[in-house]
Amino acid sequence: MTTNNETTLYTITVFSENTVGLLNQVTVIFTRRGINIETLSVSPSAIEGIHKFTITVFTTKNMVEKVVQQIDKRVDIIKAYYNTDDELVFQEIAMYKIASDKLLQYSSIEDLIRRYNIRILDINETFAVFEKTGHYAETQGLFNELQEIFGVGVLQFIRSGRVAITKSKVERLTDMLKSRE
């Protein structure tokens, strides 16, 4: 159990209308409080015209409560709330671009693919692109191992922000929208 002064990773979920400039308004709230955003993912939700922001931050419980309250007060925000990792099912996606010549020199590529459950997205005479879905430790672990094996043969690496769904049976977004009408 976390105390109010203990820094922890929180996932903040924000449902909003798709309004120009809203992302800036939300990020300014974090900037003013000196909180660094670790990851940020924004996408349309299951409801047309409603977007979902998934933001991760390391902060205290007291501070995350204040930030969520401040976000929730904005006119274009439908609902904002926060969760800890144990309250969520979450993933991220990472892509790795590896030089083909380095890849062909490595004798245990099949073992690496099986061990990390890697998907091969593209392969040609110049490079191969791998995809790994998992938690941060898994995607970072694969990157670290690829760096050890291939060094400069790792041409590019990119990781998405977190996507998350709550484990608890919370009020459905459609119900929240109906109550606002």
Side-chain angles (χ1 to χ4, degrees):
M1 179 154 227
T2 59
T3 64
N4 280 348
N5 295 326
E6 185 180 328
T7 299
T8 239
L9 181 67
Y10 289 97
T11 300
I12 299 171
T13 304
V14 179
F15 287 99
S16 73
E17 297 176 21
N18 188 12
T19 307
V20 174
L22 186 61
L23 177 59
N24 183 53
Q25 292 175 35
V26 170
T27 58
V28 162
I29 293 169
F30 293 94
T31 303
R32 286 185 181 149
R33 294 188 177 271
I35 300 171
N36 186 48
I37 294 174
E38 296 296 319
T39 67
L40 170 65
S41 175
V42 181
S43 66
S45 73
I47 301 169
E48 190 174 329
I50 305 299
H51 277 60
K52 180 181 180 181
F53 294 61
T54 305
I55 306 164
T56 60
V57 294
F58 280 102
T59 191
T60 62
K61 184 172 183 174
N62 187 38
M63 187 60 75
V64 78
E65 287 172 349
K66 288 178 182 176
V67 166
V68 168
Q69 281 178 339
Q70 194 171 356
I71 292 170
D72 221 10
K73 288 179 184 176
R74 301 214 88 64
V75 173
D76 295 328
I77 300 299
I78 295 165
K79 184 65 183 159
Y81 57 92
Y82 69 92
N83 295 97
T84 57
D85 284 358
D86 60 333
E87 300 168 320
L88 299 170
V89 176
F90 59 93
Q91 293 284 286
E92 62 183 36
I93 185 173
M95 295 172 62
Y96 314 80
K97 185 176 180 181
I98 311 293
S100 291
D101 60 338
K102 301 280 187 187
L103 193 60
L104 293 171
Q105 294 171 7
Y106 185 64
S107 61
S108 300
I109 193 64
E110 183 182 357
D111 175 57
L112 190 69
I113 289 169
R114 289 180 190 273
R115 192 163 21 102
Y116 281 98
N117 197 23
I118 296 170
R119 280 187 56 207
I120 300 171
L121 299 180
D122 191 14
I123 193 160
N124 60 45
E125 65 280 344
T126 312
F127 62 85
V129 177
F130 297 157
E131 173 195 297
K132 169 72 181 138
T133 303
H135 293 158
Y136 176 87
E138 296 168 295
T139 58
Q140 187 63 41
L142 176 57
F143 175 70
N144 294 343
E145 189 162 342
L146 291 172
Q147 283 285 87
E148 286 177 28
I149 296 168
F150 301 113
V152 293
V154 177
L155 304 173
Q156 292 182 39
F157 170 66
I158 186 73
R159 181 185 2 255
S160 71
R162 173 179 283 194
V163 291
I165 294 176
T166 58
K167 289 180 182 177
S168 66
K169 185 175 181 178
V170 294
E171 197 175 358
R172 290 176 39 146
L173 183 58
T174 52
D175 297 334
M176 283 188 270
L177 289 174
K178 285 178 186 172
S179 69
R180 287 179 57 138
E181 292 175 352

